[in-house]
Amino acid sequence: MQEKKKIPKSVASRLSLYLREISRLEDEGGDKVSSVELGELTGLTDAQVRKDLSYFGQFGTSGSGYEILKLKNILRDLLGKDNIWHIVLIGAGNIGSALLRYPGFKNQGFIIKEAFDIDQKKIGKCYGEVTVKDVRQINDIEKDRSIKIAIITVPVDSAQDVAEEVTRYGIICILNFSPVILKVDEGVTVRNIDLSNELENFSFILTSAKG
Amino acid sequence: MQEKKKIPKSVASRLSLYLREISRLEDEGGDKVSSVELGELTGLTDAQVRKDLSYFGQFGTSGSGYEILKLKNILRDLLGKDNIWHIVLIGAGNIGSALLRYPGFKNQGFIIKEAFDIDQKKIGKCYGEVTVKDVRQINDIEKDRSIKIAIITVPVDSAQDVAEEVTRYGIICILNFSPVILKVDEGVTVRNIDLSNELENFSFILTSAKG
């Protein structure tokens, strides 16, 4: 095992971009890739690519590029790609139920194992192998120690309560679709997907363009 | 009209956060807010808040905070909140059809006006007032000059082609759900929502925690 420096979170978020492009190049029969090429594919500068990849030790030779297979295996290892990750989803509304039906997660080793809702009309609904349960049973997830990731797709007023509850039951990663800043304990990572915010960014651009 | 400095894109993406919290405070009967309070609500530092808001001119008084109503109106103006924005959606699969059913957009002045898919099983399906059309008719959007925003929810292999096509027909803002870096002309803004990337970030964290 080669020596590794501690990888900062900012680099971590780019690892899956690298892995995706590297895998594509491998599928196309490639065996080496330069930092310039990888930069173009990921939209990053080649300097950024070299800096990021330097965290995994020296396996690129100046001028000849990185070995695709070696780089792929390192990235897969770091990203835990050979593991299966279990997820709990809270809020089986429009967005939540779409995620329950979304095949993309499973293909990548992410399995939504439990789903909860407060609405009697949604409780009992089946999505593949997952049946939506009553949110009052959410402490069930504490018994299943394999679930460390929660997807929160509840209305904005409930999101903070749900976040506090799931972290009490062992969740340390939250993907939050509710447009609210969640306050969580240290050691819990929250990533936000805020559709309204993205669209408002566009309306700002369009408004500026008009004016 | 007070003098305004040109607002950088990085600030723009925080405007809707400010507006959201300001509106909430107003609903609760507040009339002034300090940069410290606004910082806590948005997860930003108070220095960042003060710096951002300084772009709209001087309307906060040191020590007494910002006037909520005045700030709200400025933010609403900048974000074009009194406008209606039309959207075209391409790819009516799991994620796409969920967005078509999502009431949150309309509430905020964003209306998905057209939807396209390549799949005969999806073409003709109705979501509220939108019927999914054959993607071969996508040049229809060129006639409707009100559509400037596209949401792309197609498989990864088609995303670049779709992006090129819609920008030819007048789209200048793209919300991209496909896990690929889109190459677009200058003047076109792309925002990416990459679910797999977010989840892989978690698997990295969980893998590191294990090791």
Side-chain angles (χ1 to χ4, degrees), chain A residues 10-11 13-15 17-18 21 35-50 52-53, chain B residues 181:
Chain A
S10 55
V11 179
S13 69
R14 289 189 290 271
L15 297 183
L17 281 183
Y18 294 135
E21 296 307 327
S35 52
V36 174
E37 196 181 350
L38 206 45
E40 277 168 8
L41 289 168
T42 52
L44 301 163
T45 65
D46 52 319
Q48 183 73 67
V49 171
R50 280 193 300 276
D52 286 352
L53 300 191
Chain B
I181 308 289

Side-chain angles (χ1 to χ4, degrees), chain B residues 25 38 77 82 90 132 144 159 173 177 183 202:
Chain B
L25 290 172
L38 206 45
D77 248 26
D82 295 321
I90 307 99
V132 179
D144 185 343
C173 294
F177 282 77
K183 290 178 189 74
F202 290 157

